[in-house]
Amino acid sequence: MDSLEKKYYKISEVAELLNIPASTLRFWEKNFTIIKPKRNAHGTRFYTSADIDKIAMIHYLVKERGLKLEAAQEQIRTNPHGIEMRHHTIERLKQMRAQIQELLDALHSMR
């Protein structure tokens, strides 16, 4: 989440950034103690970039690796640094792959 520029994000913004339904974010907030958005007097959630990184890590474990919630919680509890490093590495590799694909597409269009 290197491109985050704001200090706080609303739940709808986080849902759009990560392509996750807001209902899933609320559900994960109840089930994962590492997600603790700030709230105003009206109960509106405000997520920091650190919160978004944690949610992205949970998304990686649950949606991409296919772990059940309990297994994802155990992974986060026992090896949070390792999970975070693996997640960031995979995200960086995806970005690099997209850049390479763009270059290949540009080369093919030159023919």
Side-chain angles (χ1 to χ4, degrees), residues 8-92:
Y8 294 106
Y9 293 82
K10 290 185 179 181
I11 193 168
S12 59
E13 295 171 316
V14 175
E16 187 177 325
L17 276 171
L18 299 175
N19 198 25
I20 301 172
S23 59
T24 300
L25 292 173
R26 288 189 292 272
F27 179 73
W28 285 352
E29 182 184 331
K30 290 178 186 173
N31 286 282
F32 290 91
T33 57
I34 63 169
I35 305 173
K36 294 181 180 158
K38 298 190 184 309
R39 291 178 183 249
N40 66 9
H42 301 289
T44 304
R45 293 167 174 86
F46 292 99
Y47 296 87
T48 63
S49 60
D51 292 327
I52 295 171
D53 284 340
K54 291 173 187 172
I55 294 166
M57 186 172 56
I58 292 168
H59 182 267
Y60 162 72
L61 291 171
V62 174
K63 300 296 184 181
E64 294 181 29
R65 288 200 44 210
L67 296 180
K68 298 202 181 278
L69 295 181
E70 296 80 21
Q73 289 171 339
E74 182 64 24
Q75 287 284 313
I76 291 168
R77 200 173 15 261
T78 59
N79 189 15
H81 183 68
I83 297 297
E84 185 177 0
M85 292 294 292
R86 183 176 294 144
H87 172 255
H88 286 298
T89 301
I90 289 172
E91 287 302 311
R92 182 66 187 132

